[in-house]
Amino acid sequence: MRWETVVGLEVHVQLATRTKMFCGCPATYGEAPNTVVCPVCLGLTGALPVLNAEAIRLGTVGALALGCTVHPVSVFARKNYFYPDLPKGYQISQFDKPLATGGAFEVVSPERGPITVSITRLHLEEDAGKSLHDRIPGHTAVDLNRAGTPLAEIVSGPDLRSPAEARAYLVTLRQLLVYAGVSECSMEKGSLRVDANLSVRRPGEPLGVKTEVKNMNSFANVERALEAERARQIGLLESGERVTQVTLTFNAATGEVKPLRSKEDAHDYRYFPDPDLPPLVLESAWITSTRAALPELPAARRNRYATAMGLPDYDVGVLTAEPAVAAYFEATVAAGVEPKTAANWVMGEVLSGWNDTGVFAVSPERLAQVVAMVESGTVSLQAAKRIYGELVTADADPAALATRLGLVQVRDEDALAGWVDEVVSAHPDEVARFRAGEAKLIGFFVGQVMKRSGGKADPKAIQPILKERLAP
Ligand code: ZN
Ligand code: MN
């Protein structure tokens, strides 16, 4: 009898604010240890937190983008635990009155197709510092630069049924949050972290005992870690043992999960409302206007590209995967390029450069000029790609570049006729076959003329001359 896997994910994303959650320290990345700190985020006695309004706005935008209900009143609570990287001895979080609850969005499962994944809650909290175990041999160092960084914790319902589905959920969630401008969502920089809960059961039975896997540094490793944990749990159950509620850590090098500690229950944290922070009260008019100001989200954009622009599904998926790419594509269309032509260029030359460097070396307006030269027959598509390659290195006027590189298509009748005559006399066999009715050989002759012209002949202008010379 088979097992059913049940996965729920807790995702922490860093809100893209300039400063920390409760103090004015910059929320930067990669500074020297303990240099972006102040009495508030160091947890010094008597220092009081002041809420960052932008963190509230971004948390609200994120909640609305995920289809959650944003509550007019939410409460910051102290989550008490003792760890060297938590200077106050508690984390300011939200507990029984979170900012938002009850969202859902569609994820395309690799196994089940489109599914709806529920969002149990989105709450706001501050990050802790970082314990560094590899800086000083035999000791643990503490860096508090991250302490107080604003986070949204997003908890999904137990709606995912496989490790691959969990990964698809993460890709979709990340895309939504990046589109909404809520977070950079970079796992390398720690601005997106995943804790995964997994249990197995026989289909139709109540939920089994779940465990939590931490320490995964990529979506691919989330999938690997969950596969390992699923196998571990099934192994236990099939040998008559029980699964116990533990927190595990994933070792990417070995692909194994190892128990870290027994998992805490909520009551272990002794939550209580933070007396230093009043309840967060949001006016309903503000929530409404924040919702109205939401940018176009991925699903709406995909729909627009498919229907209004008539692009095929594959193109739509590639163009909308990253908002920056979608914006470049739209700017190219706005500069006058027909959507399918723009899509081909963006998915080809433009994306291969962007994937390597993360920058768009050629502006959409320049690209549009290059495309226009192809449309007008001034240069061939092949020549246009070469011009584009030159523009990546240094910006220039595409028309001047085409002249300088000798790429302007020759449409001069005499020059074309010269090449055609050379080709016709060089290939008597093919000429005979063409005259005998093998019409598809026209492509061969066009290719030969292009070759002879060094790619400069205008293929459209060659055809009538060829047909005239080849006529029986
Ligand atoms: Zn600070
Ligand atoms: Mn949390």
Side-chain angles (χ1 to χ4, degrees):
M1 199 162 112
R2 65 183 197 88
W3 294 95
E4 181 176 62
T5 310
V6 178
V7 177
L9 298 176
E10 289 174 23
V11 175
H12 287 85
V13 295
Q14 176 176 342
L15 299 168
T17 55
R18 209 169 43 76
T19 56
K20 291 186 181 181
M21 189 82 177
F22 300 109
C23 62
C25 290
T28 46
Y29 172 80
E31 309 292 333
N34 301 306
T35 56
V36 274
V37 289
C38 74
V40 173
C41 54
L42 286 173
L44 299 187
T45 314
L48 290 171
V50 177
L51 195 50
N52 181 339
E54 181 64 359
I56 303 306
R57 191 187 71 81
L58 289 172
T60 303
V61 168
L64 294 170
L66 305 181
C68 293
T69 302
V70 174
H71 299 296
V73 179
S74 63
V75 171
F76 286 98
R78 293 185 178 181
K79 180 179 182 179
N80 299 278
Y81 64 96
F82 300 98
Y83 207 70
D85 61 20
L86 189 70
K88 294 192 297 290
Y90 61 85
Q91 175 194 29
I92 304 177
S93 181
Q94 295 187 309
F95 181 51
D96 54 350
K97 291 199 165 58
L99 177 71
T101 55
F105 58 90
E106 186 178 283
V107 173
V108 178
S109 158
E111 291 114 6
R112 294 191 286 163
I115 55 167
T116 299
V117 181
S118 63
I119 297 299
T120 309
R121 59 188 277 147
L122 179 150
H123 71 249
L124 301 173
E125 60 185 31
E126 58 175 343
D127 206 349
K130 235 182 144 173
S131 294
L132 306 168
H133 304 290
D134 54 359
R135 292 291 174 94
I136 306 164
H139 298 272
T140 292
V142 174
D143 177 8
L144 294 175
N145 283 353
R146 280 199 73 84
T149 298
L151 303 177
E153 178 176 328
I154 298 158
V155 182
S156 83
D159 299 333
L160 302 160
R161 291 291 172 269
S162 75
E165 219 165 70
R167 183 177 180 173
Y169 163 83
L170 289 170
V171 169
T172 309
L173 174 67
R174 179 183 178 279
Q175 198 184 43
L176 268 165
L177 296 173
V178 171
Y179 263 79
V182 168
S183 172
E184 199 189 340
C185 292
S186 157
M187 283 191 106
E188 300 94 83
K189 293 186 188 173
S191 60
L192 187 154
R193 294 200 299 271
V194 181
D195 300 331
N197 290 290
L198 181 143
S199 61
V200 295
R201 64 176 171 190
R202 299 296 190 188
E205 285 187 354
L207 289 172
V209 175
K210 69 180 178 186
T211 60
E212 185 177 17
V213 191
K214 287 180 180 287
N215 192 35
M216 296 154 296
N217 60 2
S218 68
F219 290 170
N221 278 341
V222 171
E223 187 176 354
R224 286 175 67 209
L226 288 173
E227 278 165 0
E229 177 53 9
R230 172 170 65 183
R232 192 188 70 90
Q233 289 191 16
I234 291 173
L236 284 173
L237 294 171
E238 290 191 340
S239 58
E241 293 178 64
R242 285 197 336 225
V243 173
T244 51
Q245 188 177 309
V246 285
T247 299
L248 304 110
T249 178
F250 177 63
N251 183 332
T254 63
E256 287 171 342
V257 288
K258 254 185 32 203
L260 200 63
R261 55 171 187 263
S262 67
K263 193 171 156 45
E264 302 82 357
D265 282 316
H267 64 253
D268 296 327
Y269 290 118
R270 297 175 299 119
Y271 281 99
F272 61 89
D274 192 315
D276 292 338
L277 290 159
L280 173 64
V281 179
L282 302 175
E283 288 174 12
S284 69
W286 180 82
I287 297 173
T288 305
S289 65
T290 305
R291 185 196 305 276
L294 279 182
E296 185 182 41
L297 295 173
R301 185 164 294 202
R302 284 194 291 269
N303 192 31
R304 182 162 60 84
Y305 285 12
T307 54
M309 296 191 183
L311 294 176
D313 285 352
Y314 175 81
D315 297 25
V316 170
V318 175
L319 295 171
T320 57
E322 295 285 340
V325 174
Y328 185 97
F329 163 72
E330 294 205 20
T332 308
V333 172
V337 182
E338 187 270 325
K340 179 57 186 158
T341 307
N344 291 345
W345 275 91
V346 172
M347 294 190 300
E349 321 301 307
V350 175
L351 258 186
S352 66
W354 186 75
N355 286 335
D356 292 344
T357 60
V359 292
F360 295 107
V362 178
S363 74
E365 293 72 26
R366 275 277 185 259
L367 174 58
Q369 291 173 338
V370 175
V371 174
M373 286 166 65
V374 180
E375 311 271 280
S376 70
T378 311
V379 298
S380 67
L381 181 60
Q382 213 174 351
K385 288 183 177 174
R386 199 171 142 208
I387 293 168
Y388 180 88
E390 295 286 328
L391 293 173
V392 167
T393 334
D395 189 39
D397 174 47
L401 205 53
T403 309
R404 178 147 60 77
L405 297 172
L407 296 171
V408 176
Q409 293 199 117
V410 175
R411 274 176 288 178
D412 171 71
E413 288 257 352
D414 291 340
L416 294 176
W419 288 319
V420 168
D421 288 339
E422 284 171 34
V423 167
V424 168
S425 52
H427 298 282
D429 294 351
E430 283 81 0
V431 172
R433 281 162 56 201
F434 182 86
R435 288 185 176 147
E438 223 176 300
K440 68 171 167 33
L441 275 171
I442 191 76
F444 165 79
F445 288 112
V446 171
Q448 289 300 315
V449 174
M450 289 305 291
K451 205 167 150 189
R452 218 161 257 272
S453 74
K456 284 190 283 187
D458 178 351
K460 281 190 228 84
I462 300 170
Q463 298 243 11
I465 305 175
L466 257 178
K467 283 184 179 148
E468 181 201 300
R469 295 292 205 275
L470 291 171

